[in-house]
Structure formats: structure tokens, C-alpha cells
Amino acid sequence: MTVAAPQVPGSAKKPHALVIGSGIGGLAAAIRLGARGYRVTILEKLDAPGGRAYVHRRDGFSFDAGPTIITAPFLLEELWNMCGRRFEDDIDLRLMDPFYRIRFDDGRIFDYSGDADKVKAQIAEYSPADVDGYDRFMKMSERVFKVGFEGLAHKPFTHVTDMAKIAPQMAILQSYRTVYGMVSSYIKDPFIRQVLSFHPLLIGGNPFTVTSIYVLISFLERKWGVHSAMGGTGAIVNGLVSLVEGQGTEIRYKSEVERILVEKGRAAGVRLTSGEEIQSDIVVSDVDPATTYGKMLAEHPRRTWTDRKIDRSAFSTGLFVWYFGTKRQYPDVKHHTILLGPRYKGLIQDIFKHKKLAEDFSLYLYRPTATDPSLAPEGCDTFYALSPVPHLESGTDWEAQAEPYRARIARYLSETVLPGLEDQIATSLVTTPLDFKLRLNSHLGAGFSFEPILLQSAWFRPHNKSEEVDGLYLVGAGTHPGAGVPGVISSARVLDTVVPDASTFA
Ligand SMILES: Cc1cc2nc3c(=O)[nH]c(=O)nc-3n(C[C@H](O)[C@H](O)[C@H](O)COP(=O)(O)OP(=O)(O)OC[C@H]3O[C@@H](n4cnc5c(N)ncnc54)[C@H](O)[C@@H]3O)c2cc1C
């Protein structure tokens, strides 16, 4: 069955762009293409937008499914400006202070923020000798930021020469080192090393193997702050949806793409699982590239992203997320808390290297009601607890393991920061790597697609302009520059340099 592309009044002459997936990268791509004169249709498998930033609502509680830490807000402001609107008119963004409360397993606390004096005063309590090392580390982070973020994040890495051009700078910045290795060259105290090196875990990277380019996150956070939106991240997703709809873009929910159609080597549209075919001039996929190539282009001969190459690639961690509402409030718990378990390197090795579900865990605990009580019924709190776990290569039987694992987390939280939790639960929902695979079509159920190791970064990552099919473009966490809200918005920004002007289709 073939159906002509839907028509928006007055847009018949515009070239048609299909965007597969309404994750933040897909929505940002749609906005940019709409602003450049394309008629855009977004096809989304689920019943609502956001992808990893979907919102679960139950029993009066509102749960952001994924991203909660908003950095580099100028990237969002830019999207609003492209639509002639002001971000601050739609979204009430609040600066977090501290950025994160970090709790070590022995109960000690470190409030990490962008205030250098406050951070240094705390470092002095742990290890006075490291105060100077922190200053030097932040200077290094700034240098890496200038190259890695300002210089590279918005550039296309389409040709190997693009990589060759930056190699000398990367060598000077010692990008061959790991984040943990780089931090350790400035800091001696094992606790402070954790405080300054855990960031790659937020985008699925292993601090002990990921390229030290990612130390730029420390400076990025200090420069623009760590924010959260009133109404949760869902408010940002709704804002992005209102921008695309304002441009005349249609979002079709419950519309799963089965195949990208290729004619004469060029993307010509898609076929949905319903059998419907939709034609277009270009296709943009916001879906995990391993799925885009391995499933949606399964029948198309591929030179680079073959099944073998995908099988040999390293994928990021899986995530276990427990969303829960409580009948009472826990006012002492900050908006963002990181609870580090008894092991650091050992646990990370179990997750990434041994692919083994460990007995212990480190958690990120999100309590948005610390800032916005409207996300829970009166007198209650909304939480999620996130535990990085191995992806599905671990062979974990999540259908059997989810409940015992959740119960272990509940007990641990009850014994630490949420006393009496087990008797206070009003509502509960869990997500495992199996859900990432089945709901979001994420290869191996990974939380953040390809692991951000050096040999899977920049030119080595799936390109934003497909290497396999003309007229196909990729955005989102698995593409350059990588995962995280700033990363996926930047991937859409790269489209401006690789997608031809709409006028070329006239
Ligand atoms: C639990 C969690 C916490 C996180 N926390 C943070 C954070 O605090 N800060 C931060 O910056 N980042 C965070 N991240 C990372 C960030 O959320 C992601 O990197 C980013 O949102 C991914 O966006 P994306 O554009 O790659 O699309 P995705 O969110 O992956 O969306 C892809 C979309 O494609 C749809 N889709 C899949 N297959 C098909 C198909 N065949 N047809 C049609 N549609 C399809 C999916 O349903 C989905 O809606 C977090 C991620 C997770 C999972």
C-alpha cells in the first residue's frame, strides 16, 4: 500500500523530510529542517513524544523517564529563537545548588557545584593537598572544552580528513588517556577522584576507558550551570513539540517504521509496520544507529555499518530505573543525589567488562519535587532511582530479576537517605534494559547506544550524513557527537551543514 505524503496547506512545493523518532534529537532535527524550508513529518513508535525523555504519569505522580540534568541551555534557546520565540517565555529553568549531592558509602557527603570556593573548601576536608590539583584540573577541563565542545561538537565528521585535522590537538590534550587517568594525574584522594570522574557514566561511558575528552563536562557544567525545568524535563519536550507543531509539522504517534525505502541508492521514504509507505525527499533517523542500519536497512547492502561491525562494536551501559512515588515527603533529599556504593572501579568493571549484574550498586536518585512539588500529589514526593547495569549481553533474565533488584534498591535507600521507604510507596514502575530494547528499539537494550570510547567517537561514530545511503541522515545519541541532551541537540545542529538547502529540490 502506498500513501502520498500528507499535505499541509501551502506547503505542497516544499521538499518533504521524514524524521523517524521524536526523541530530543529528532525534535531538534525537525525544528531545524522546518526552519530551512522543509515540510516535515515525524513518525514515532510510541503514543507520546520524548523517547528516553518520555513522561510516565500514574496515580497523580509525574515521572520524567530519562534526562533530568539540563546543561548548556543555550542549545535549547537557539531552537526557540529559530522559531521566533523565547525559551524563557515557555520554560522556567532553575539553577541547581548544589548541582549534585554525592553521598559516599560511609555516609560522608560532598555537595558538588560550580562554586569553586565551596568545592575547594570541601576538598580541603578530604585532602588539603588536592585543592591546588582541582584548580589545575579545571584549567585542563576548560582547555579540553574549547577544543572538544566549542571546536568539534557541531562539526560534521564525514571524511577521514576531518579526523586527521583534529588529531594533533587531541594528542596535545592527551585524548588517548582516560577520564579517570586524567583526573588521577591531578588528584590523589580516591573519593575526590570519584567526584571528578563519574560524569561519563551519565552518558553511558566508563570513566576507566572513555577518552579524556569527556573531562570537558566539568567545565561545561561550571560555565552554564546544571539546571532543571519546572514541570520536569517533560515541560521541555512539550515545548519542543509546540515549536514543531507551530511550524506545521505533523507528529504521527503509534507509527513504527519497519524499513527505510531506498531507490537508486537514495532514501525515498519509509514503510511502517502497518504496511503503509510514505514518500519523502530525505529521511532523518533519530533511532539507535545499530537499529537504523541493522533493522531498517537490513536488506540494503552496507559497506561500513554491516551486521558484523555492529556485532563487534561496544555498547554503553544498560539502565535499571525504578520510578516511585512516596506517601510522605523527604525534605532533606536534594533534587539530584548520587549514592556511591562500596566499590567504584570494581563495580564499573562488572558492568562494562565482565557484564555481570553485581550485588552492590551506585545510584542516581532524582527528586524533582525538591524544586517543583506539583509533580506529586500534595504532601508526597516523586522519585526515580537509576542504577547503571550491564546491557543485555549479560544474559540477565530481567523478567525474573527486576523485582528482587528493585527490592534491594528499596532496602538500601530505606537504610540510607529515605528512612522507612518500603512502607511509604504510593506507586511504582520499573524499566530494565529489556524495556530499552523492546520499547525504544535500542540495540542490546543499551541506555546510550554506542559506547563513547575514542575509537567510536567523532569520525568513528555513525556519521550524521549516512555513509550507506544518500538522502539519509542520522541524529541522536548513537551519532556524532554523542549521548546526552546537549549531544543530541548538537547532532541536529550538524544537519545544517550536511543537509542540502530545500531550494535544491525545486
Ligand atoms: C534514564 C536516563 C537518564 C538520562 N539522564 C540524562 C540527563 O540527566 N541529562 C542528559 O543530558 N542526558 C541524559 N540522558 C541521555 C539522554 O536522555 C539521551 O541521550 C537523549 O535523550 C536521547 O535522545 P535521542 O535523540 O537519541 O532519541 P531517543 O530518546 O532515543 O528517542 C528515539 C525515539 O525513536 C523512537 N523509535 C524507535 N524506533 C522507532 C521506529 N522503528 N519507528 C518510529 N519511531 C521509533 C523511540 O520510540 C523514541 O521515541 C539520560 C538517559 C536515560 C535513559
Side-chain angles (χ1 to χ4, degrees):
M1 176 170 60
T2 302
V3 175
Q7 299 293 303
V8 177
S11 65
K13 290 211 178 77
K14 292 182 173 182
H16 186 212
L18 282 175
V19 176
I20 313 172
S22 68
I24 291 177
L27 292 169
I31 291 166
R32 289 189 169 269
L33 293 170
R36 290 181 61 206
Y38 282 85
R39 178 167 56 87
V40 184
T41 309
I42 302 177
L43 301 165
E44 169 55 52
K45 172 180 185 259
L46 300 178
D47 61 351
R52 277 148 170 89
Y54 187 94
V55 177
H56 300 289
R57 291 178 214 286
R58 37 171 74 196
D59 303 321
F61 295 84
S62 186
F63 299 102
D64 285 322
T68 61
I69 296 160
I70 302 299
T71 50
F74 80 92
L75 289 166
L76 287 161
E77 289 162 12
E78 196 173 82
L79 295 171
W80 259 257
N81 294 343
M82 292 182 96
C83 298
R85 285 168 52 178
R86 279 163 23 116
F87 179 73
E88 57 273 31
D89 289 343
D90 291 346
I91 309 290
D92 183 358
L93 213 55
R94 301 284 170 100
L95 182 68
M96 297 289 104
D97 186 17
F99 292 170
Y100 321 96
R101 166 159 290 179
I102 297 166
R103 181 189 184 277
F104 298 108
D105 200 48
D106 62 7
R108 286 192 293 170
I109 277 171
F110 193 106
D111 280 343
Y112 181 76
S113 74
D115 183 326
D117 291 336
K118 282 190 190 163
V119 170
K120 284 194 282 189
Q122 293 174 87
I123 292 178
E125 285 172 26
Y126 284 77
S127 167
D130 282 331
V131 172
D132 180 49
Y134 170 71
D135 276 335
R136 286 185 293 113
F137 168 73
M138 287 306 293
K139 284 203 180 90
M140 180 64 176
S141 171
E142 181 174 0
R143 287 215 301 280
V144 178
F145 169 87
K146 285 193 187 317
V147 175
F149 189 81
E150 292 182 344
L152 307 182
H154 310 120
K155 294 236 164 75
F157 277 86
T158 311
H159 304 290
V160 71
T161 46
D162 298 328
M163 196 72 199
K165 276 186 217 147
I166 61 149
Q169 276 171 307
M170 290 181 77
I172 292 168
L173 294 173
Q174 304 175 13
S175 311
Y176 49 83
R177 298 182 84 156
T178 66
V179 164
Y180 190 81
M182 180 72 89
V183 169
S184 301
S185 67
Y186 294 95
I187 303 288
K188 298 284 164 281
D189 183 83
F191 291 103
I192 306 304
R193 283 181 175 178
Q194 291 182 47
V195 169
L196 296 178
S197 71
F198 76 85
H199 289 87
L201 288 166
L202 300 177
I203 49 161
N206 174 348
F208 293 91
T209 57
V210 91
T211 161
S212 62
I213 282 278
Y214 285 94
V215 299
L216 70 79
I217 300 174
S218 299
F219 183 75
L220 180 141
E221 286 185 342
R222 185 195 273 183
K223 184 173 169 69
W224 286 300
V226 165
H227 305 262
S228 277
M230 294 300 278
T233 308
I236 296 179
V237 171
N238 288 342
L240 291 168
V241 167
S242 82
L243 295 186
V244 295
E245 289 180 344
Q247 291 176 314
T249 289
E250 185 193 12
I251 309 183
R252 290 181 54 181
Y253 298 106
K254 299 184 185 170
S255 299
E256 182 171 6
V257 172
E258 185 180 63
R259 284 281 181 274
I260 294 170
L261 303 174
V262 182
E263 282 170 21
K264 297 183 185 153
R266 208 185 144 76
V270 301
R271 184 169 70 236
L272 304 185
T273 48
S274 63
E276 180 184 353
E277 293 190 354
I278 308 173
Q279 296 152 4
S280 66
D281 296 285
I282 64 166
V283 175
V284 177
S285 177
D286 178 40
V287 181
D288 181 0
T291 306
T292 300
Y293 286 123
K295 298 271 190 300
M296 294 186 211
L297 279 170
E299 290 151 13
H300 185 77
R302 283 164 277 144
R303 286 171 306 226
T304 306
W305 295 102
T306 58
D307 291 348
R308 188 157 176 266
K309 165 121 178 172
I310 293 169
D311 283 349
R312 289 175 157 208
S313 299
F315 285 83
S316 69
T317 52
L319 299 170
F320 179 92
V321 195
W322 176 34
Y323 309 91
F324 58 98
T326 54
K327 294 181 217 160
R328 56 160 283 200
Q329 290 179 329
Y330 289 90
D332 295 339
V333 178
K334 300 283 181 199
H335 197 108
H336 302 299
T337 306
I338 289 165
L339 297 119
L340 292 167
R343 299 183 303 150
Y344 189 54
K345 186 170 185 179
L347 175 63
I348 288 173
Q349 297 287 70
D350 276 350
I351 296 170
F352 284 90
K353 191 168 169 202
H354 309 307
K355 306 219 168 31
K356 175 180 136 201
L357 185 63
E359 286 295 312
D360 56 332
F361 35 70
S362 285
L363 302 176
Y364 159 57
L365 183 68
Y366 175 50
R367 178 176 170 254
T369 35
T371 309
D372 184 354
S374 76
L375 295 166
E378 207 178 332
C380 302
D381 261 339
T382 287
F383 287 97
Y384 85 48
L386 177 157
S387 174
V389 293
H391 60 53
L392 292 174
E393 262 177 11
S394 70
T396 306
D397 176 357
W398 278 110
E399 280 179 11
Q401 288 299 319
E403 177 47 27
Y405 196 73
R406 185 209 63 78
R408 284 219 309 274
I409 291 176
R411 198 175 327 121
Y412 174 77
L413 290 172
S414 195
E415 286 164 1
T416 53
V417 292
L418 303 178
L421 172 64
E422 283 134 312
D423 298 326
Q424 294 297 329
I425 295 165
T427 191
S428 168
L429 173 74
V430 297
T431 292
T432 74
L434 198 57
D435 299 301
F436 279 82
K437 180 180 162 71
L438 300 177
R439 263 185 101 241
L440 295 166
N441 288 339
S442 187
H443 186 65
L444 294 175
F448 310 84
S449 188
F450 288 91
E451 195 183 340
I453 50 178
L454 188 58
L455 287 179
Q456 294 187 168
S457 297
W459 181 77
F460 298 109
R461 223 168 166 74
H463 297 178
N464 305 102
K465 177 182 188 308
S466 169
E467 302 93 310
E468 308 293 351
V469 177
D470 284 343
L472 173 65
Y473 302 89
L474 278 72
V475 294
T479 70
H480 170 68
V485 173
V488 303
I489 298 179
S490 297
S491 72
R493 217 177 184 212
V494 174
L495 292 190
D496 282 358
T497 46
V498 293
V499 173
D501 283 339
S503 58
T504 57
F505 291 90

